């Protein structure tokens, strides 16, 4: 077992390019419960980074720190420092709304708004003060999410009338529409069939040209297919018996899957976990 | 078909013919439910039929002109429902005008975590108590406290805006506008409770989705949460409207029971239920029949409101 409070050295080797998000000694608490402990992790620009690890180890919790969505949970508290392009995200002067405009998010369950397909996409653009041609933006975003061909004749229909896979691509489209710099995806394919999953994965390859992507997934194949870098998280019982999550190992994806440094990683990626 | 499936079917049939206590209870329950449902329908039919048949002499006498006549003269047996129809509709609409923004606003406020739960829970409880106050109490409070309290304010409005038709008479101590305000207070809990429930039950994913796109709390509320709770909110408004239309006691005590249509909201007026409550005791013959005709009109109005509510709610559920 690694001592979770020491900084994994692999981080530095893995990330030499432009760093978009830097996570320095981050711990997250829900009330008195520490969900994530001492994470150091850098996200490079225009890469796909996967977070893997057993349930409850704090992947979603950490992900939600990057766009300050944990602000919605009154008991949540973040320690340590997260910088986005050098700016401390938790600086009191930083407007969380502005953060979320730059760092978009796609959720585990597709959550289209109960509005038309068109309005689902226009909503984000409008609240971001988009002044350009809305029709053009809607089409571009839907094309970007590989959904245009399927919905171009029914843009006025409710987003809820789409299939689950289409809904998830709609959610991706509405996130692309606000032109964020980073897209956070929390198990975006867990509710999708294999075909839709592959389409979303293809999409990530395209999106990587323009965006930086962090994806949480339970699907090892998916992580190995889409991610340039992979972070393996684990949970461990701390003093007092409550389980906290921590980053075990963070490295190039092929290293994580083929030659991990840690035994725990090896066990997890080879399915011998727990 | 193979023999084995046949025998399987046979056992199925046999077992369904055997005596079986749980199934018997099931059946009894089923028929009991059917009987109750049918009897509720029958009661509705019965009431409608009674209204129609007792109202019939008045319907035959005054026909559709009843709706447009302002006469109510028991001596000459001439009756018309216009002042009551007007008063019923206008007092309800004015009440909604105040109750909708206030009620939906409070519902939104209570559904957000602006205040700690420790404070919210008692507030919600007090609002529900508001619904439990008997309407005669509202009437008494209106006469002795509320109207004297607001009268100076109404005088001031009359002073400045008296040139507007709605405010064109000296505020009377019994009047439509004050009645509408009391009605607004009475229907407020309905709007608040149901709107709040439908706001609270919007999926949290919607809020997260909107926040995740960089929407502010206000944008999330007004453009995502309220629209997605709209069918519930509209339902609450329709329910409240139904209550305002039919409210009898408070209206009868406060509105002044004047049999004239006045453009001014500060003038005394009348409502259908107030008229019925006031006159029913000593009415007979054609007068009673005319009162039943009025009751029929009220019933049709509330029926229309309910149907409209269904249509609107369905429309929003499909499109939105
Ligand atoms: N809103 C919350 N309030 C309190 N505790 C929470 C909350 N959300 C998560 N937790 C706790 O924090 C820990 C980490 O949860 P988190 O959802 O981040 O795990 P995860 O790695 O995403 O798991 P999964 O793979 O199942 O999605 C868990 O122990 C969980 O119970
Ligand atoms: Mg999760």
């Amino acid at each position: 077992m690694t001592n979770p409070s020491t900084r994994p050295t692999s981080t530095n080797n893995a990330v030499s390019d432009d760093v978009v998000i830097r996570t320095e000694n981050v711990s997250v608490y829900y009330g008195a419960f520490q969900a994530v402990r001492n994470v150091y992790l850098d996200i490079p620009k225009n890469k796909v980074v996967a977070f893997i690890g057993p349930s409850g180890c704090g992947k979603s919790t950490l992900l939600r720190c990057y766009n300050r969505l944990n602000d919605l949970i009154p008991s949540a508290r973040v320690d340590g420092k997260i910088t986005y392009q050098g700016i401390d995200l938790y600086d009191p002067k930083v407007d969380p709304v502005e953060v979320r405009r730059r760092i978009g998010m796609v959720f585990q369950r597709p959550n289209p708004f109960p509005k038309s397909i068109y309005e689902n996409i226009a909503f984000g653009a409008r609240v971001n003060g988009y002044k350009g041609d809305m029709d053009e933006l809607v089409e571009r975003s839907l094309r970007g999410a590989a959904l245009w061909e399927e919905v171009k004749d029914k843009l006025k229909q409710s987003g809820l009338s789409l299939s689950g896979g289409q809904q998830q691509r709609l959610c991706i489209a509405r996130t692309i529409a606000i032109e964020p710099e980073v897209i956070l995806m929390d198990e975006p394919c867990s509710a999708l069939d294999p075909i839709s999953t592959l389409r979303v994965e293809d999409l990530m390859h395209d999106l990587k040209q323009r965006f930086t992507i962090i994806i949480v997934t339970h699907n090892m194949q998916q992580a190995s297919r889409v991610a340039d870098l992979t972070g393996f998280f684990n949970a461990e019982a701390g003093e007092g018996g409550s389980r906290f999550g921590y980053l075990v190992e963070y490295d190039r994806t092929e290293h994580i899957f083929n030659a991990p440094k840690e035994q725990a990683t090896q066990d997890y990626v080879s399915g011998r976990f727990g | 078909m193979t023999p084995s499936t046949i025998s399987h079917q046979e056992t199925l049939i046999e077992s369904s013919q055997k005596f079986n206590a749980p199934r018997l209870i099931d059946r009894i329950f089923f028929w009991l439910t059917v009987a109750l449902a049918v009897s509720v329908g029958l009661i509705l039919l019965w009431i409608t039929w009674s209204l129609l048949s007792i109202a019939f002499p008045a319907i035959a006498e005054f026909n559709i002109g009843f709706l447009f006549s302002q006469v109510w003269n028991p001596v000459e047996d001439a009756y018309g429902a216009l002042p009551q129809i007007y008063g019923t509709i206008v007092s309800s609409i004015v009440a909604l005008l105040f109750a909708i923004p206030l009620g939906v606003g409070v519902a939104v406020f209570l559904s957000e975590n602006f205040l700690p739960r420790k404070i919210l829970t008692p507030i919600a409880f007090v609002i529900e108590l508001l619904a439990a106050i008997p309407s005669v109490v509202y009437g008494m409070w209106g006469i002795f406290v509320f109207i004297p309290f607001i009268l100076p304010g109404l005088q001031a409005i009359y002073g400045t805006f008296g040139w507007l038709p709605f405010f064109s008479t000296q505020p009377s101590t019994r009047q439509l506008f004050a009645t509408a305000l009391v009605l607004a207070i009475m229907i407020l809990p309905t709007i608040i409770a149901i709107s709040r429930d439908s706001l609270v039950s919007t999926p949290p994913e919607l809020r997260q989705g909107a926040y995740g796109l960089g929407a502010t709390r206000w944008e999330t509320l007004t453009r995502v949460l309220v629209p997605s709770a709209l069918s519930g909110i509209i339902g609450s408004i329709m329910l409240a409207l139904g209550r305002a239309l039919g409210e009898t006691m408070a209206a009868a005590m406060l509105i002044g029971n004047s049999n004239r249509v006045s453009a001014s909201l500060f003038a005394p007026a009348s409502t259908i239920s107030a008229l019925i409550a006031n006159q029913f005791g000593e009415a007979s013959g054609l007068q009673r029949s005319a009162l039943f005709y009025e009751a029929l009109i009220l019933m049709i109005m509330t029926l229309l409101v309910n149907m409209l509510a269904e249509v609107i709610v369905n429309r929003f559920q499909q499109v939105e």
Side-chain angles (χ1 to χ4, degrees):
Chain A
M1 271 296 142
T2 38
N3 176 357
S5 58
T6 56
R7 179 172 181 168
T9 47
S10 53
T11 308
N12 291 329
N13 313 339
V15 182
S16 49
D17 327 77
D18 287 353
V19 173
V20 184
I21 295 178
R22 175 158 280 160
T23 318
E24 286 175 74
N25 198 17
V26 166
S27 301
V28 189
Y29 299 83
Y30 293 109
F33 167 65
Q34 187 181 39
V36 173
R37 179 179 287 187
N38 304 79
V39 172
Y40 289 88
L41 185 148
D42 289 348
I43 310 287
K45 197 170 167 58
N46 292 66
K47 290 281 189 297
V48 176
V49 175
F51 289 178
I52 60 171
S55 191
C57 65
K59 307 177 296 294
S60 303
T61 299
L62 183 63
L63 201 67
R64 284 198 304 264
C65 292
Y66 292 136
N67 68 344
R68 292 199 51 178
L69 213 58
N70 278 336
D71 291 15
L72 287 185
I73 303 165
S75 68
R77 182 165 63 81
V78 179
D79 263 6
K81 193 168 173 190
I82 300 177
T83 55
Y84 166 70
Q85 299 189 334
I87 303 160
D88 182 355
L89 281 183
Y90 285 83
D91 188 312
K93 289 197 288 290
V94 167
D95 177 7
V97 171
E98 198 53 45
V99 171
R100 296 180 198 124
R101 288 176 183 180
R102 311 267 187 97
I103 304 180
M105 185 154 189
V106 176
F107 297 84
Q108 175 168 3
R109 290 228 314 260
N111 56 348
F113 303 126
K115 298 171 181 288
S116 69
I117 294 170
Y118 186 98
E119 283 303 318
N120 257 282
I121 292 172
F123 171 80
R126 290 214 182 94
V127 301
N128 282 282
Y130 178 75
K131 291 283 183 298
D133 181 351
M134 192 61 81
D135 292 351
E136 190 266 337
L137 177 75
V138 169
E139 177 172 347
R140 180 153 44 88
S141 309
L142 285 170
R143 281 190 193 282
L147 189 59
W148 174 252
E149 291 304 323
E150 288 156 70
V151 300
K152 63 183 177 196
D153 300 321
K154 46 180 185 180
L155 295 176
K156 291 275 163 285
Q157 273 183 30
S158 168
L160 295 171
S161 68
L162 298 174
S163 77
Q166 291 172 326
Q167 288 187 9
Q168 193 61 304
R169 276 178 285 145
L170 179 63
C171 293
I172 294 174
R174 79 181 179 195
T175 306
I176 307 175
I178 65 170
E179 290 285 332
E181 281 141 67
V182 180
I183 300 181
L184 311 174
M185 297 184 165
D186 193 350
E187 301 182 44
C189 301
S190 64
L192 306 189
D193 69 286
I195 308 264
S196 308
T197 301
L198 285 179
R199 301 193 69 156
V200 172
E201 288 179 12
D202 284 345
L203 201 56
M204 279 188 255
H205 278 295
D206 299 341
L207 295 178
K208 185 165 89 164
Q209 316 301 321
R210 292 189 288 144
F211 308 100
T212 304
I213 297 175
I214 309 178
I215 176 175
V216 172
T217 178
H218 279 290
N219 181 332
M220 297 301 135
Q221 283 85 30
Q222 179 166 64
S224 62
R225 279 192 300 258
V226 302
D228 301 296
L229 296 152
T230 298
F232 170 63
F233 291 77
N234 204 351
E236 197 174 290
E239 55 291 350
S242 73
R243 292 172 70 79
F244 61 88
Y246 65 101
L247 177 63
V248 176
E249 190 169 357
Y250 177 47
D251 208 335
R252 303 253 303 277
T253 300
E254 56 269 30
H255 291 177
I256 293 287
F257 282 95
N258 300 326
K261 296 195 177 63
E262 301 294 332
Q263 187 60 40
T265 316
Q266 177 68 48
D267 290 348
Y268 187 76
V269 297
S270 59
R272 265 185 278 125
F273 187 79
Chain B
M1 208 181 276
T2 62
S4 77
T5 53
I6 291 171
S7 71
H8 190 64
Q9 274 183 346
E10 278 166 356
T11 51
L12 267 182
I13 293 164
E14 265 168 32
S15 77
S16 72
Q17 283 166 341
K18 253 192 269 168
F19 176 77
N20 182 329
R23 181 169 303 134
L24 187 68
I25 292 173
D26 247 20
R27 285 232 179 107
I28 293 174
F29 190 72
F30 172 78
W31 287 111
L32 208 65
T33 321
V34 169
L36 284 173
V38 169
S39 58
V40 169
L42 282 178
I43 290 174
L44 186 69
L45 272 180
W46 188 17
I47 293 176
T48 315
W49 172 249
S50 334
L51 280 188
L52 264 174
S53 60
I54 307 179
F56 185 73
I59 297 174
E61 177 78 24
F62 306 113
N63 215 316
I64 202 82
F66 188 72
L67 305 184
F68 308 106
S69 157
Q70 289 198 50
V71 187
W72 192 271
N73 190 338
V75 181
E76 291 173 12
D77 254 355
Y79 305 104
L82 187 64
Q84 288 76 38
I85 296 174
Y86 174 84
T88 304
I89 293 176
V90 173
S91 64
S92 299
I93 289 177
V94 174
L96 282 185
L97 244 41
F98 284 91
I100 292 174
L102 197 63
V104 175
V106 171
V108 165
F109 184 77
L110 292 180
S111 71
E112 288 286 302
N113 53 355
F114 288 119
L115 292 176
R117 185 162 298 275
K118 256 195 233 135
I119 306 177
L120 278 183
T121 316
I123 292 181
F125 180 67
V126 168
I127 288 169
E128 265 158 43
L129 278 187
L130 222 50
I133 299 177
S135 61
V136 67
V137 174
Y138 274 110
M140 292 165 70
W141 177 73
I143 290 175
F144 293 109
V145 182
F146 186 66
I147 293 185
F149 175 73
I150 60 165
L151 216 49
L154 301 185
Q155 295 280 7
I157 295 176
Y158 171 63
T160 5
F161 297 103
W163 48 273
L164 279 172
F166 331 116
F167 306 131
S168 57
T169 58
Q170 184 75 26
S172 154
T173 51
R174 300 283 178 276
Q175 47 151 305
L176 193 149
F177 189 72
T179 309
L181 289 184
V182 173
L183 284 179
I185 299 172
M186 295 175 73
I187 64 180
L188 211 50
T190 310
I191 296 184
I192 293 174
I194 299 176
S195 301
R196 176 175 170 268
D197 282 351
S198 71
L199 279 166
V200 166
S201 58
T202 52
E205 287 85 11
L206 285 183
R207 180 191 296 272
Q208 294 186 358
Y211 273 61
L213 290 171
T216 59
R217 184 199 280 256
W218 177 247
E219 288 160 343
T220 304
L221 266 173
T222 53
R223 303 202 202 169
V224 175
L225 299 182
V226 169
S228 82
L230 205 58
S231 63
I233 294 175
I234 290 176
S236 79
I237 291 170
M238 290 298 169
L239 230 89
L241 177 57
R243 174 151 194 218
L245 287 173
E247 173 51 39
T248 307
M249 210 52 221
M253 291 166 82
L254 299 175
I255 206 160
N257 304 305
S258 141
N259 206 49
R260 282 186 36 223
V261 174
S262 165
S264 171
L265 302 177
F266 292 163
S270 177
T271 70
I272 295 179
S273 45
L275 176 87
I276 296 173
N278 277 322
Q279 306 222 334
F280 210 76
E282 56 272 20
S284 61
L286 196 58
Q287 186 182 0
R288 179 194 287 167
S289 185
L291 288 175
F292 270 89
Y293 195 174
E294 295 240 8
L296 197 66
I297 294 168
L298 181 61
M299 214 173 107
I300 291 170
M301 273 163 53
T302 47
L303 210 69
L304 284 179
V305 167
N306 276 313
M307 276 160 53
L308 197 68
E310 289 281 315
V311 171
I312 294 175
V313 168
N314 283 337
R315 160 97 36 95
F316 275 109
Q317 273 165 353
Q318 278 159 20
V319 177
E320 269 296 322

